[in-house]
Amino acid sequence: MQKAAVLSPIKTKRRPIQISWQKVLPFVIPSLIIIIWQVSSNLGWLSSSVLPSPWAVLQDGITLTLSGELPKNLSISLYRATVGLLIGGSIGFILGFINGLSRKCRLLFDSSIQMFRNIPHLALIPLIIIWLGIGESAKISLVAIGTMFPVYINTFHGIRSVDKEFIEMGQSYELSRTQMFRKIIFPAALPQILVGIRYALGVMWTTLIVAETISASSGIGYMANNAEDFVDMETVILCIVVYAVLGKISDLVAKGFESLLLDWQTTGRSKVQ
Amino acid sequence: MTDQTNVMINIQNIHKQYAQLTALNQVNLTVEQGEFLALVGMSGGGKSTLLRLIAGLEQPTSGSIKINQVPTNDSDSLVRVMFQEDRLLPWMTVLENLSFKSKKSAERQRALNLLELVELKDYADHYPNQLSGGQKQRVALARALMTAPKILLLDEPLGALDALTRRKMQDLILNICEKQKLTTILVTHDVDEAARMADRIVVMKQATNFYETIGPKDRRNPGQVGLVADRVLSAILDEAPVRQFQTA
Ligand SMILES: Nc1ncnc2c1ncn2[C@@H]1O[C@H](COP(=O)(O)OP(=O)(O)OP(=O)(O)O)[C@@H](O)[C@H]1O
Ligand SMILES: [Mg+2]
C-alpha cells in the first residue's frame, strides 16, 4: 500500500492513456479491414461485381433507408424475431422449470424433449411451409422452435444444479414453497438461464435469416435474397452488415441484462476497498 | 438427567448409514433444557450428521430422536442450525440474508441489532463475496439467532476467527444462550473452547465410542478450564475409557 502511494503520481498520469487505448483497441481490426477494403476498391484491385466498396454499400444503405425499404424490412424481421423468441423462450422456460422441479414431469417429458432436440430445427422448414404456408406464423414458429431448446436445457440444468446445501438451509429455516423458489432456486438458477437466453438470441437470428431467405416476401433475409436475383451486390453486402450489427446489439442487450441481474457476482472485493 | 420432564433432546439408539458407510452407530444422548453441550471429536466422526438428524433435516436409519418429547420431524421451528459452511445466499446482501424470511421492518431492525452484536453493522449492504471467512461466519451466526429458537445447534461456528474475535464471540454466544435460556449443542475442534463454554462435553469417536465429561464449575477459572481441556484431549487421543468423570 505504501509503495503504491509513492508511485501514484506517475500512475495517475498514465491512467487516461491506458483507458483510452483499451477503448480503442477493439475497433482497430474492423477499421483496418474497412480501410484496406476501400483502398483496394479505389485502386481497382476489387471489382465491384465481386465486392463493392464500403462507401458504395453505405450509399446504398442511405438510399434504401430514405426510400423506407430498409426500415420496413428491418422492423418486420425484428417483429418476427422478438415474437418468436418470446414464445419459444417462454415455452422453454416453463418446461425447464416444471421438469427441473418435479420428478414426475421430468420422467414424463424430458426424454421426449431430448429426442426432439436432436432434430435440427431448420430441417423442419419444408414441413412448416407445407403446414403453415409462407405467412408470418411459419417464420415465427420456426424461431420459437429454435429458441425453445437452449432456454429449456439451461433452465432445466440451472434448476437441477442448485446447491443442495442452500436448499437444506432453506428447509431448516422453514421457507414456504414459493419463498424457496423466489429466494433460493430461481436466483441460483438465473445465471444459467441467462446463458440459455443469450445462446437463444444467436439461434434466433440464424433461424430467421434462413427462413426469410427461403420463403418470404419481406424482411432482411428476403431483401438479401431479392437483391441476389438482381445481382445487386451493394444490397447483399448491406444485409450482411445489418445482420452483424443486429447480432452485436442483441449480445449487448443480453450482457446488459446479465450485469443488471447478476450484480452480486461482479461485485468483487476490489471495488469495496 | 433422569428427570424426564427436563430433557430437551432425547436421542436413543441412533444409527445412520450412508450406503457402505456407518456415520453413527448406537448413539445415545440426552440434553437437558438450558444445557450447553459441547461435541468434540475427530473429523469424520459424525458430528455434523448428528446435528442434521436433530434438526430433522435427515432421518436416522434406525432409532429415535425426540425434542421436547416429540419426534423430530414436527418440531422443526424449535431448532436453528448454524451450518459448518456459512451457507449465505450470495445474491443477497448481508442484511437480506438475515431478514430473508420476511420484509417487515421489525425484522429488519432485529437484523441490524444482531449485526451490531457480531460487530458487522457497517457491512449490512455488502454481498457475502465481499466478506472475509470470519465475517461470513459471524453473519451466519447472526442469522441463526434471528428467529428466537429453543435449541441452537452450532457447527464449528468460530473456526475462522482470530483469537480476540473468537473470545468475544464465545462470550456473545454464552450470553445469548443464557439470556434466552437456549439449549445449545456446540461442535468444535478446539478443546479449550469446549472446556471454556460447555456445561458438559461429549467426545465422539469413530461413530461408536462416546465419552462424556462435566465442564468446569467456574468458567472464569483458567486452571479448571485447562484441566477439563486436558482430560478431553486425552480422551480424544488415547481412547481412554474415561466415562463421565467429574472435575475436582
Ligand atoms: N450425505 C452424505 N452421504 C454420504 N456420506 C456422508 C454424508 N454426510 C456425511 N457422510 C459421511 O459421514 C461421516 C461423518 O460425517 P460428518 O460430516 O458428520 O463428520 P464430522 O464429525 O462433522 O466431521 P468434521 O469434523 O470434519 O466436520 C463421514 O465419513 C462422511 O463422509
Ligand atoms: Mg462437521
Side-chain angles (χ1 to χ4, degrees):
Chain A
M1 275 291 116
Q2 292 256 315
K3 254 189 180 173
V6 177
L7 289 173
S8 66
I10 306 168
K11 263 198 175 166
T12 42
K13 264 187 191 171
R14 276 190 189 167
R15 267 270 158 80
I17 303 168
Q18 278 180 344
I19 286 175
S20 60
W21 261 116
Q22 283 184 357
K23 283 191 177 159
V24 166
L25 229 43
F27 295 97
V28 170
I29 291 177
S31 314
L32 267 180
I33 290 176
I34 291 177
I35 291 168
I36 293 172
W37 177 10
Q38 181 68 48
V39 169
S40 326
S41 300
N42 284 359
L43 294 178
W45 296 344
L46 269 177
S47 142
S48 66
S49 61
V50 176
L51 195 62
S53 75
W55 180 242
V57 174
L58 185 67
Q59 279 179 321
D60 186 54
I62 293 169
T63 322
L64 287 174
T65 308
L66 291 179
S67 72
E69 203 174 330
L70 182 62
K72 190 196 88 194
N73 285 311
L74 190 60
S75 52
I76 191 102
S77 285
L78 273 174
Y79 163 77
R80 288 165 184 161
T82 352
V83 174
L85 177 70
L86 280 179
I87 296 174
S90 312
I91 297 176
F93 176 77
I94 292 168
L95 279 176
F97 168 73
I98 57 171
N99 286 3
L101 290 179
S102 147
R103 206 180 118 80
K104 273 187 199 142
C105 292
R106 186 155 63 243
L107 288 173
L108 184 63
F109 293 121
D110 190 51
S111 63
S112 313
I113 295 177
Q114 297 298 343
M115 199 173 69
F116 231 124
R117 182 174 76 95
N118 287 317
I119 306 169
H121 65 287
L122 293 176
L124 299 177
I125 290 180
L127 194 63
I128 296 229
I129 290 177
I130 292 172
W131 282 347
L132 300 174
I134 61 161
E136 290 312 301
S137 50
K139 259 100 40 193
I140 291 175
S141 321
L142 267 174
V143 174
I145 294 172
T147 53
M148 184 178 99
F149 292 108
V151 175
Y152 167 75
I153 289 163
N154 284 285
T155 307
F156 179 72
H157 282 294
I159 288 182
R160 292 289 292 156
S161 53
V162 176
D163 203 330
K164 264 170 65 190
E165 294 189 338
F166 286 145
I167 295 185
E168 198 184 60
M169 193 276 291
Q171 282 168 350
S172 85
Y173 281 80
E174 298 159 284
L175 294 189
S176 65
R177 274 175 148 260
T178 31
Q179 276 180 324
M180 185 75 105
F181 180 74
R182 279 188 38 228
K183 312 259 171 177
I184 296 183
I185 296 174
F186 183 69
L190 192 58
Q192 186 80 46
I193 296 174
L194 289 177
V195 167
I197 291 177
R198 210 161 141 189
Y199 190 85
L201 284 171
V203 176
M204 173 185 88
W205 289 121
T206 336
T207 313
L208 190 65
I209 290 158
V210 174
E212 284 182 346
T213 309
I214 292 176
S215 74
S217 52
S218 59
I220 300 290
Y222 163 78
M223 231 173 96
N225 200 38
N226 200 34
E228 180 203 322
D229 291 346
F230 292 94
V231 205
D232 177 0
M233 280 307 282
E234 283 85 1
T235 308
V236 171
I237 301 292
L238 179 72
C239 290
I240 294 174
V241 171
V242 169
Y243 289 145
V245 172
L246 285 175
K248 185 73 193 165
I249 290 175
S250 21
D251 212 44
L252 285 178
V253 170
K255 266 190 194 161
F257 263 112
E258 276 174 28
S259 57
L260 193 74
L261 294 170
L262 306 178
D263 61 338
W264 55 271
Q265 280 187 334
T266 47
T267 321
R269 296 177 57 103
S270 54
K271 266 192 193 171
V272 190
Q273 284 154 3
Chain B
M1 250 200 291
T2 40
D3 183 5
Q4 280 293 312
T5 52
N6 258 347
V7 172
M8 193 63 173
I9 305 172
N10 191 352
I11 298 173
Q12 289 195 339
N13 271 325
I14 284 295
H15 187 97
K16 181 68 189 179
Q17 192 77 28
Y18 289 116
Q20 304 297 322
L21 191 135
T22 306
L24 295 168
N25 191 17
Q26 299 302 106
V27 172
N28 290 288
L29 184 69
T30 49
V31 187
E32 279 178 64
Q33 150 75 45
E35 193 178 11
F36 198 119
L37 184 95
L39 211 53
V40 297
M42 290 196 288
S43 181
K47 303 180 296 296
S48 301
T49 306
L50 186 60
L51 292 197
R52 274 211 302 282
L53 293 177
I54 296 172
L57 294 171
E58 268 180 84
Q59 293 305 311
T61 314
S62 68
S64 86
I65 300 182
K66 285 183 183 158
I67 287 174
N68 230 351
Q69 265 76 271
V70 185
T72 41
N73 30 354
D74 35 3
S75 52
D76 263 355
S77 60
L78 299 175
V79 188
R80 275 292 162 263
V81 199
M82 179 187 164
F83 296 96
Q84 191 164 5
E85 322 78 24
D86 57 75
R87 304 201 188 178
L88 299 177
L89 300 173
W91 44 87
M92 291 184 182
T93 64
V94 165
L95 188 63
E96 288 165 345
N97 260 291
L98 293 202
S99 51
F100 72 134
K101 276 199 62 154
S102 98
K103 283 209 177 96
K104 288 188 203 125
S105 69
E107 195 84 347
R108 209 183 117 88
Q109 194 49 51
R110 190 177 161 75
L112 285 171
N113 292 343
L114 280 165
L115 283 179
E116 181 137 43
L117 278 181
V118 297
E119 298 176 4
L120 284 174
K121 200 162 191 177
D122 297 340
Y123 291 82
D125 295 325
H126 284 53
Y127 284 103
N129 69 2
Q130 298 171 299
L131 303 181
S132 74
Q135 289 170 331
K136 283 186 216 171
Q137 273 193 329
R138 282 182 280 156
V139 176
L141 175 63
R143 181 178 62 186
L145 298 170
M146 271 299 288
T147 50
K150 284 271 180 293
I151 297 173
L152 191 58
L153 307 176
L154 304 169
D155 201 344
E156 291 176 46
L158 310 176
L161 298 183
D162 65 280
L164 179 65
T165 322
R166 198 180 173 107
R167 180 55 69 96
K168 277 194 205 164
M169 290 304 129
Q170 288 176 355
D171 290 338
L172 173 71
I173 292 173
L174 281 174
N175 212 327
I176 290 174
C177 292
E178 211 154 287
K179 246 191 229 158
Q180 305 186 5
K181 298 191 171 58
L182 298 181
T183 307
T184 313
I185 299 182
L186 168 81
V187 171
T188 176
H189 282 294
D190 180 346
V191 286
D192 290 306
E193 180 167 283
R196 186 169 180 270
M197 294 179 77
D199 303 321
R200 191 157 58 104
I201 300 161
V202 169
V203 180
M204 280 181 84
K205 292 170 81 167
Q206 300 159 0
T208 47
N209 302 340
F210 252 72
Y211 305 103
E212 307 190 359
T213 179
I214 307 294
K217 292 197 182 86
D218 181 8
R219 287 196 179 107
R220 280 166 232 296
N221 181 340
Q224 271 198 22
V225 170
L227 201 68
V228 171
D230 280 349
R231 288 190 177 176
V232 172
L233 196 60
S234 69
I236 298 176
L237 295 177
D238 305 333
E239 299 202 20
V242 275
R243 208 179 154 80
Q244 205 145 330
F245 49 87
Q246 302 267 333
T247 45

